[in-house]
Amino acid sequence: MELLENRIRKDGIVKAGNVLKVDSFLNHQIDIELLNEIGKEFKRIFGNEGITKILTVEASGIAIAAIVAQYFNVPVVFAKKSQSINLDGSVYQTKIESFTHKRVYDVIVSKKYLSPDDRILVVDDFLANGCAADGLIDIIKESGATLVGVGIIIEKGFQDGGKRLRERGVRVESLAIVDSMNDETGEITFRH
Amino acid sequence: MELLENRIRKDGIVKAGNVLKVDSFLNHQIDIELLNEIGKEFKRIFGNEGITKILTVEASGIAIAAIVAQYFNVPVVFAKKSQSINLDGSVYQTKIESFTHKRVYDVIVSKKYLSPDDRILVVDDFLANGCAADGLIDIIKESGATLVGVGIIIEKGFQDGGKRLRERGVRVESLAIVDSMNDETGEITFRH
């Protein structure tokens, strides 16, 4: 998606340790107009799949999911980071390791909001090692719902999450795939 | 807002300890169509105030802020819950006590995304004791930006946050104000 790649080139900041900061338009300050263009693009890609729900994980996926959901006329469900294991059986739960924060979160989704009839599109801002997507896919499987695909804004193509998910047969559609980036020059190379 | 009150009556669940669960349409599963009606209502209320940014705090405020922002054609900034105090001076920070989770969070906003020229609308799902609003208002003051008002979806009128903020001269507009609720009968009384 050219508009997105141009925006990442213009406003993304490459930091040491393969960190790409997009705080100014995607996950701290959020450019809602850009998200609407992203919503239209996901609608173009997944529009004929009978999607019934958009699933993401807090916090940075939520704005994306909310705007994207408008193009599908469906609700959003976001997985919550949990302080403690829930023992009452009313939730699906899994563990997600954050690349950015170097820690493991328990995340939960209430059983009330995913059902075997649901056809789910997972959306998130980044795909790096794929742990967040893995966790959400685990939850979808446990619920009996159908995973239609995973819509990602920025995939780090030099980490193995996307490759691994695609090899498992998951449809992953990333609007920008970064093949390499250089924190000294700031240069970012996209896959086409 | 009648549509909202009806929805709270229909799908809200009153629990002991003055807890009102709106997980099925507002802060776990999210009804995006309802949020669009809420966005239109905030636009009607605050539309002539020259708002330049919508500010909220993760996580449940983010979807609301994203949808509301579309009606103002402005970006969203969300305050992040921080693991650790940031000492490099690049962020505004404050403490927010969560009524739901009974704990205190450090929240931060990058100094890059609030400026003295900004006219800010704070939005959030709930106003109870007002701690989240207090924290965001502290950050706005520190940045030199102008606080235009606070837009709340559900105010717990029997807790003192709204009263206290209004007495300080803050314009608080709540789309539904719950005056009382009964966890035995499930009855909810709204202020009109």
Side-chain angles (χ1 to χ4, degrees):
Chain A
M1 192 181 172
E2 200 181 339
L3 178 78
L4 176 63
E5 292 181 4
N6 290 343
R7 186 60 176 273
I8 296 167
R9 278 212 179 84
K10 179 171 164 281
D11 292 329
I13 297 170
V14 182
K15 299 242 182 189
N18 281 329
V19 172
L20 175 60
K21 296 269 280 183
V22 290
D23 270 13
S24 66
F25 61 97
L26 197 58
N27 49 28
H28 184 16
Q29 180 167 252
I30 306 168
D31 180 339
I32 301 294
E33 227 172 295
L34 175 68
L35 282 195
N36 269 293
E37 295 306 315
I38 284 166
K40 287 175 201 168
E41 184 66 6
F42 283 134
K43 172 71 177 179
R44 193 186 61 74
I45 295 170
F46 292 107
N48 296 320
E49 297 288 346
I51 285 162
T52 63
K53 256 166 212 176
I54 309 286
L55 179 65
T56 192
V57 60
E58 70 172 53
S60 53
I62 297 175
I64 300 158
I67 301 293
V68 169
Q70 294 181 121
Y71 293 91
F72 293 87
N73 294 309
V74 299
V76 166
V77 176
F78 68 90
K80 297 190 170 207
K81 289 174 184 164
S82 167
Q83 312 297 330
S84 56
I85 298 298
N86 181 305
L87 297 169
D88 72 358
S90 64
V91 299
Y92 302 113
Q93 58 190 49
T94 189
K95 287 180 190 302
I96 291 180
E97 189 179 348
S98 164
F99 175 76
T100 317
H101 299 114
K102 314 275 180 228
R103 57 169 283 193
V104 176
Y105 296 95
D106 286 297
V107 305
I108 59 170
V109 174
S110 166
K111 290 187 175 175
K112 284 184 282 190
Y113 307 132
L114 293 178
S115 84
D117 297 334
D118 277 321
R119 295 180 56 79
I120 311 284
L121 175 62
V122 169
V123 303
D124 210 352
D125 54 349
F126 275 98
L127 174 62
N129 55 26
C131 286
D134 284 341
L136 294 177
I137 291 168
D138 284 349
I139 283 175
I140 292 168
K141 275 196 180 149
E142 210 183 328
S143 76
T146 302
L147 170 68
V148 171
V150 178
I152 296 292
I153 299 187
I154 304 173
E155 178 177 338
K156 289 176 168 173
F158 50 86
Q159 286 181 255
D160 73 343
K163 182 166 180 285
R164 203 168 36 72
L165 287 166
R166 291 181 184 98
E167 282 173 0
R168 284 171 59 191
V170 176
R171 181 175 178 194
V172 180
E173 300 280 356
S174 301
L175 303 188
I177 302 180
V178 175
D179 260 341
S180 65
M181 47 189 203
N182 184 321
D183 65 290
E184 283 168 20
T185 64
E187 202 183 348
I188 300 171
T189 308
F190 292 100
R191 187 180 304 170
H192 286 124
Chain B
M1 191 182 171
E2 197 179 342
L3 178 78
L4 175 64
E5 291 181 6
N6 290 342
R7 186 61 176 273
I8 295 166
R9 278 213 179 82
K10 179 171 165 278
D11 292 330
I13 297 170
V14 181
K15 299 241 180 190
N18 281 330
V19 173
L20 175 60
K21 296 268 280 182
V22 289
D23 270 13
S24 66
F25 61 97
L26 197 58
N27 49 28
H28 184 14
Q29 180 167 254
I30 306 168
D31 180 339
I32 301 295
E33 226 172 297
L34 175 67
L35 282 195
N36 270 291
E37 295 306 316
I38 284 166
K40 286 175 203 168
E41 184 66 7
F42 282 135
K43 172 70 177 178
R44 192 185 64 72
I45 296 169
F46 292 108
N48 296 319
E49 297 289 345
I51 284 162
T52 63
K53 257 168 211 175
I54 309 287
L55 180 66
T56 191
V57 60
E58 73 173 52
S60 53
I62 297 175
I64 299 157
I67 301 294
V68 170
Q70 295 181 121
Y71 293 90
F72 292 88
N73 294 308
V74 299
V76 166
V77 175
F78 67 89
K80 298 190 168 205
K81 288 173 184 164
S82 168
Q83 313 296 331
S84 56
I85 298 297
N86 181 304
L87 296 170
D88 73 358
S90 64
V91 298
Y92 301 113
Q93 57 191 47
T94 190
K95 288 179 191 302
I96 291 180
E97 189 178 349
S98 164
F99 174 77
T100 317
H101 299 113
K102 314 274 179 226
R103 55 168 286 194
V104 176
Y105 296 95
D106 286 296
V107 306
I108 58 170
V109 174
S110 167
K111 290 188 175 175
K112 283 184 284 192
Y113 307 132
L114 292 179
S115 83
D117 296 335
D118 277 321
R119 294 179 57 80
I120 311 285
L121 175 62
V122 169
V123 303
D124 211 352
D125 52 350
F126 275 99
L127 174 63
N129 55 25
C131 286
D134 284 340
L136 294 177
I137 292 170
D138 284 348
I139 283 175
I140 291 167
K141 275 196 183 150
E142 209 183 330
S143 76
T146 302
L147 169 69
V148 171
V150 177
I152 296 293
I153 299 186
I154 304 172
E155 177 176 341
K156 290 176 168 172
F158 50 86
Q159 286 182 255
D160 72 344
K163 182 166 178 284
R164 202 168 37 73
L165 287 166
R166 290 180 184 100
E167 283 174 357
R168 283 172 59 193
V170 176
R171 181 176 177 192
V172 180
E173 299 281 357
S174 300
L175 303 188
I177 302 180
V178 176
D179 259 341
S180 65
M181 45 191 205
N182 184 321
D183 65 290
E184 283 167 21
T185 64
E187 202 184 347
I188 301 171
T189 308
F190 292 101
R191 187 181 303 172
H192 287 122

